Amino acid sequence: MAPGARLEIMTAAPDPAAPDLATAPAAPDLIARLRTALPAESLLTDPDVTASYAHDMASFCAAGTPAVVVLPRTVEEVQHVMRTATELRVPVVPQGARTGLSGAANASDGCIVLSLLKMDRILEIDPVDRIAVVEPGVVNAVLSRKVNELGLFYPPDPSSWEMCTIGGNIGTASGGLCCVKYGVTAEYVLGLDVVLADGRLLKTGRRTAKGVAGYDLTRLFVGSEGSLGIVVRAVLALKPQPPQQLVLAAEFASTEAACAAVCKIMEGGHTPSLLELMDRTTVRAVNAMAQMGLPETTEALLLAAFDTPDPAADLAAVGALCAAAGATEVVPAEDHAESELLLQARRLSLTALEAVKGTTMIDDVCVPRSQLGALLEGTARIADKYGLTIGVCAHAGDGNTHPTVCFDAQDPDESRRARASFDEIMALGLELGGTITGEHGVGVLKKEWLAREIGPVGIEVQRSLKQTFDPLGILNPGKLF
Amino acid sequence: MAPGARLEIMTAAPDPAAPDLATAPAAPDLIARLRTALPAESLLTDPDVTASYAHDMASFCAAGTPAVVVLPRTVEEVQHVMRTATELRVPVVPQGARTGLSGAANASDGCIVLSLLKMDRILEIDPVDRIAVVEPGVVNAVLSRKVNELGLFYPPDPSSWEMCTIGGNIGTASGGLCCVKYGVTAEYVLGLDVVLADGRLLKTGRRTAKGVAGYDLTRLFVGSEGSLGIVVRAVLALKPQPPQQLVLAAEFASTEAACAAVCKIMEGGHTPSLLELMDRTTVRAVNAMAQMGLPETTEALLLAAFDTPDPAADLAAVGALCAAAGATEVVPAEDHAESELLLQARRLSLTALEAVKGTTMIDDVCVPRSQLGALLEGTARIADKYGLTIGVCAHAGDGNTHPTVCFDAQDPDESRRARASFDEIMALGLELGGTITGEHGVGVLKKEWLAREIGPVGIEVQRSLKQTFDPLGILNPGKLF
């Protein structure tokens, strides 16, 4: 990490609207108070240990030093933590597996890090009501596999699904590869138990398929990055498990042609179970890392999949649309093993791009899919302008791109250019009618950009909501706005 | 309507927390102020005319006398209305087509009725981005047919779809027959333009398939019954038009067996495009009204449909599950015309039940579908206890029932029993883990019940949200809480 670049963020002027919090808290008093209702093993105070809870996986995001890490096991323990924090005016930073990409889980100085990792029970899975009831620390893949055993399906599949938790997914409203057909995490959260800033327990939503009793508080918490309350239990909607998907790969001589194919597929009424794009830089990075034998001469590789009763027929129709849009090669996978290999290549993309120069900044711009071609073309221009390698992989069916800026964090100039290009891609996304974040969240990384996207009235309203739920400003301060 | 019953509601104690509003407003001043930026034809002041805007289609709901009805045509005109209302502290009651069933659109004394019926333009339909941008006064059926012409599909289909407006659907988070497969209105609202209580214009959400920039304000407005702001524009998600659905009818000798079949269908991984139940009372009422030739000896008629590529195969599988659950007769429709007839019978249910005794109270209890049998059994018990006819039609796949109490509004005793049974069904729904309203909303009708469902912390939080958006309490006062 370039020290200059990090400094630039860390010395940002404090928010004048933020209430005074204990910045150098009386740690012994805090810890003594926490101990009154928490077992010793649930409190981590060794600075070497607590330091490892300071940040998530985002670059360029300031992180402070926690006073203590708390790992509660019950709702009552979380309530005790929040009551103590309210009394002592200590900031609380909730955390899942810290796989986030926006710094939303980064510690503030003197904070309580509230890690939900030990609340990891699956409480209920009901195949008739098609729901699961879980604690926030359940790992996404653990839940996904468990419901699969019962013929059910929990679609949300962020890249980090083997590590990330349901609580983290809810906090950041995570997406994944499945969204073009199955939507994002938000669409699977029916109800929540939330511990509020002052320790009260709020139950939102329902266990039923439908329900409109009062304001939709559930959705307000999804994607709120721990800034409104602590999710301690979730009722999740499940779907029946679909047939295994079959994948097709199509090569294009330009990203423009690949994006045109995406538009034709969606306009044609197809709904693939995934529709992903990897540009040339990404394809080469994946080959370099894992010798996958992907076609290095292609400018853009499109992967489409169907989990329908007759996926081969659907792939044939989509393959024809790709060919009509100028695909140089259309290769349906022969079987599920070959399909899985193609998906593995896509899943390796971000890791492979990280290996290019050692560090990456992963953008998350989502545009109306009709603007996908313009975004990719503009991203290439921005890479040229700054003399940088920017690989793009995209949930193309959603218009959600991850332009990934590859840079050497030891090189201050390159680091500065990386940040500038990262910002310029967001500006382009907004120009094209898009959003600065399709699925990774705002966190610390995109705070200034949130205001640009939602405008002054939007920011006023969002701040007043924050104030309503957290008048002392103790919940994950410094995130979002 | 029984005068006694109505009186009971109308004399409810005023909410002590509500701010003082102009209950007998200086109407001439109000109207003069409104006229400064509204054309004369947009203001209705004749009491005979304004009286016809006093209420929606719910029974047992108090309605006041509006001071004026405003029919704006532009966002700026709505902003003018809200600024004027804020300055003069006059309550504003937003309205669509007033087809609601909870009194949520009922006027308060001296209010401005803000009818959005003249803002009825479809501004954009985009088949690549699969979105429509509409004004709130667009009629659901008009939009549905328009997008159909382009090979697209707007699923939400409340029974009143030929009359009700998108704005009204958003205000009440409407459902319909489609929800078991396609979900409710909320799932199709991507972004909103909302005029706030003080006239500021807030833009929420996005035009993109995904987006997580800031708190989800869009969903907060959906189902808020006009109590947080006035929706003046909506970006709606569309789906590709599915194949035409094919319907199967299954007859059962008990509602218990029919509900068991519903559970087996859903547990078996099937997702029908509709899964509806009509009990014997409903079937007979429909026959009496429209000579449909439905089987009068059945205790419960189940309708299942599929809009898949091979609906006949799916219906065969579901038919076998019905037979295994004890269906006495399983009849797949021979063609689309026959399917349409069966659906027409279902759509006639509420009107047909109304004809039984002249007036109905339509409940809207939604339970986890595993509890559907218990709810229907309990409803029959309640009907017996009060000596009333209660017909049940249900979106069975969702667990969302409409127990419909048939009574003679001229008979005060029967009216009192109707209201008591209506309430007792809600209590039973809550006991079974359900909600008092799956899709009709709270409005005036279920205010006291909202508190029972969501509890004291829930009510506190909901009230503080209302206060944040509407500190003067001028937006649709007296609804929800």
Side-chain angles (χ1 to χ4, degrees), chain B residues 73 118-121 123 133-138 166 232-233:
Chain B
R73 289 177 183 274
K118 300 285 184 200
M119 293 180 70
D120 61 353
R121 290 178 303 160
L123 302 167
V133 183
V134 303
E135 292 186 328
V138 171
I166 299 296
V232 291
R233 190 167 295 188

Side-chain angles (χ1 to χ4, degrees), chain A residues 128 130 200 270 369 460, chain B residues 128 130 200 270 369 460:
Chain A
V128 173
R130 292 189 184 166
R200 282 177 301 164
H270 301 281
R369 66 177 71 86
E460 283 162 35
Chain B
V128 173
R130 290 187 185 167
R200 281 177 302 164
H270 301 281
R369 67 177 70 85
E460 283 161 35

